[in-house]
Amino acid sequence: MELYILNDKFQEIACIDEFESVLWTKFFRDVGYCEIHTLFDTELWDLLKIGYYITRKDDDMACIITKKSIETDVENGDYLTVYAVDVKSILNRRIVWNDINVKDVSISAFIYTVLNENVKSPTTSDRAIPNFTIDLSSSDDFNKYSKITYSTNKDNVLKLITDLCTDYNIGFQVTLKDGKFIFKLLDRIIKYDTSKNNYVEFSPEFSNILSSDYEETDESYKNVCLVGGEKKDNNQEFATYPQTISPRGLERREIYNDSGLSKTYKDESGIEHTYTDEEYKKLLLDNGRVVLSNNSFNESFTGEVDIIDTYTYKKDYNIGDMVVVRNNYGISTIA
């Protein structure tokens, strides 16, 4: 594996191909990371500065160095550890400064608005990341999803986008190319068709899963959200999500979210508007849906797979593709 180092001006300044170990972990929507562990070298220490970038020619994730440390040991020698996070983490540096209110728009249009107003071209020029751009090539892929009515409340941009993508089961990436940060939404790609016996599967039957860990938990699971709305004259509006098929008895797990959402809002021209009762109720319900999506029943299936004998990574499947994973005990998932 070869790692390329870029300085804070995005100029390639070195290639590293000797180290004790490297972790290169990439996610469909969460922030990935890279960790380098190697014998201490003064030149390497000076080279790997916080704020510099680590890239690979064979992968589109780029990481920004956020931490480095030296461990000294008389018997075993001195070691250098460098930790870097996926550049999508730059979205964590911004909040939704001026709240955004939308009615029945596509999820992609809403996310693009958040990014345009807070990262790409905000009204306060100091807030702009000049080399940030948005890849709109996949926009039409998200028109099939339900529309969203939403009002922000000084949200952190990274958390907001991650929560929304979790709710819609889509992903996103920020790549670094020619000195530009390029944001792109990612739709799920299905790599299985059981009816035609044509699918990508990792299982003992195919001899391509080396180890696995399966876990399911309902520790943080909630299925009913009471959303608090505007407070006025000692009264407050509320909405309950879901409105139908409400769980009962022990099956019911409630959570409260004080949304802080107002019935009035100002548009880009500063003109004040008021939501209709129906629009405001939908606004609160969409807020409740997002809250529940982040407090869902948690099922995880992790493992080490054989990437040589059956399927080729980035050819037969990639990050975000939906494939079949099965363990020795018949537990399977489409993930």
Side-chain angles (χ1 to χ4, degrees):
M1 181 189 299
E2 293 181 332
L3 301 179
Y4 293 84
I5 311 304
L6 280 62
N7 62 19
D8 53 6
K9 296 180 175 57
F10 311 106
Q11 300 164 329
E12 189 177 297
I13 58 174
C15 173
I16 305 173
D17 57 7
E18 294 183 5
F19 24 70
E20 293 289 308
S21 66
V22 173
L23 292 176
W24 188 267
T25 306
K26 182 178 177 182
F27 295 106
F28 185 50
R29 52 178 162 259
D30 292 330
V31 175
Y33 63 90
C34 167
E35 185 175 299
I36 303 171
H37 187 68
T38 191
L39 286 169
F40 180 79
D41 179 83
T42 303
E43 185 178 347
L44 197 57
W45 172 265
D46 292 337
L47 177 68
L48 297 171
K49 297 181 183 295
I50 289 179
Y52 280 16
Y53 301 89
I54 303 174
T55 65
R56 285 170 53 175
K57 301 297 186 185
D58 60 347
D59 194 82
D60 58 7
M61 182 174 77
C63 294
I64 182 169
I65 299 173
T66 59
K67 181 169 62 176
K68 60 180 183 176
S69 63
I70 304 171
E71 303 169 36
T72 62
D73 189 311
V74 174
E75 295 183 1
N76 300 311
D78 300 340
Y79 279 85
L80 163 66
T81 300
V82 175
Y83 186 78
V85 294
D86 188 338
V87 293
K88 68 172 67 170
S89 63
I90 63 173
L91 301 179
N92 193 46
R93 304 182 183 191
R94 295 291 183 273
I95 63 169
V96 182
W97 197 272
N98 298 308
D99 286 329
I100 300 170
N101 306 272
V102 295
K103 304 176 187 177
D104 290 324
V105 302
S106 69
I107 184 63
S108 57
F110 178 51
I111 289 175
Y112 296 153
T113 299
V114 170
L115 291 171
N116 276 317
E117 294 188 11
N118 295 282
V119 184
K120 186 174 184 291
S121 49
T123 53
T124 302
S125 59
D126 288 348
R127 303 185 64 231
I129 297 178
N131 54 337
F132 186 91
T133 187
I134 302 172
D135 183 344
L136 303 175
S137 62
S138 62
S139 299
D140 292 343
D141 296 342
F142 304 95
N143 292 333
K144 62 188 176 187
Y145 295 101
S146 60
K147 305 292 185 181
I148 187 171
T149 295
Y150 206 85
S151 180
T152 62
N153 188 24
K154 308 305 180 193
D155 304 83
N156 174 275
V157 170
L158 176 63
K159 185 178 187 305
L160 175 62
I161 293 176
T162 302
D163 287 350
L164 291 171
C165 286
T166 299
D167 183 32
Y168 281 80
N169 196 23
I170 59 178
F172 70 98
Q173 66 180 17
V174 177
T175 54
L176 182 58
K177 185 177 181 180
D178 299 327
K180 292 183 178 180
F181 296 107
I182 305 172
F183 176 94
K184 184 177 182 179
L185 284 174
L186 305 173
D187 201 5
R188 299 301 297 265
I189 299 176
I190 299 175
K191 290 289 186 176
Y192 67 95
D193 186 344
T194 53
S195 64
K196 297 179 181 178
N197 197 33
N198 177 25
Y199 50 92
V200 172
E201 177 176 331
F202 295 98
S203 67
E205 180 182 354
F206 285 77
S207 300
N208 58 4
I209 187 165
L210 306 177
S211 64
S212 67
D213 293 297
Y214 174 80
E215 180 181 83
E216 55 183 46
T217 178
D218 68 353
E219 290 179 342
S220 62
Y221 174 53
K222 304 295 181 182
N223 54 22
V224 176
C225 183
L226 177 63
V227 184
E230 186 175 69
K231 299 176 183 177
K232 191 174 183 179
D233 299 328
N234 295 321
N235 292 314
Q236 184 176 14
E237 294 202 35
F238 296 93
T240 303
Y241 183 86
Q243 290 182 280
T244 59
I245 318 178
S246 181
R248 304 176 63 184
L250 280 176
E251 300 300 317
R252 186 180 178 95
R253 304 192 182 199
E254 301 172 344
I255 187 173
Y256 175 67
N257 183 52
D258 191 352
S259 69
L261 298 172
S262 173
K263 291 194 73 171
T264 61
Y265 65 94
K266 291 183 179 180
D267 61 22
E268 295 178 355
S269 302
I271 300 174
E272 188 169 89
H273 299 269
T274 301
Y275 289 109
T276 65
D277 290 343
E278 184 178 349
E279 289 171 341
Y280 188 63
K281 186 174 183 179
K282 187 176 187 308
L283 179 68
L284 296 181
L285 291 174
D286 276 357
N287 180 276
R289 189 186 72 225
V290 172
V291 170
L292 289 189
S293 73
N294 289 284
N295 290 273
S296 59
F297 183 87
N298 192 2
E299 183 182 40
S300 66
F301 206 139
T302 61
E304 182 181 0
V305 299
D306 183 346
I307 61 173
I308 299 176
D309 292 334
T310 52
Y311 306 113
T312 303
Y313 175 52
K314 294 186 179 179
K315 178 183 178 183
D316 299 309
Y317 67 96
N318 207 335
I319 297 292
D321 291 350
M322 299 177 70
V323 301
V324 177
V325 184
R326 197 185 316 274
N327 68 11
N328 303 60
Y329 304 103
I331 298 175
S332 65
T333 187
I334 297 171

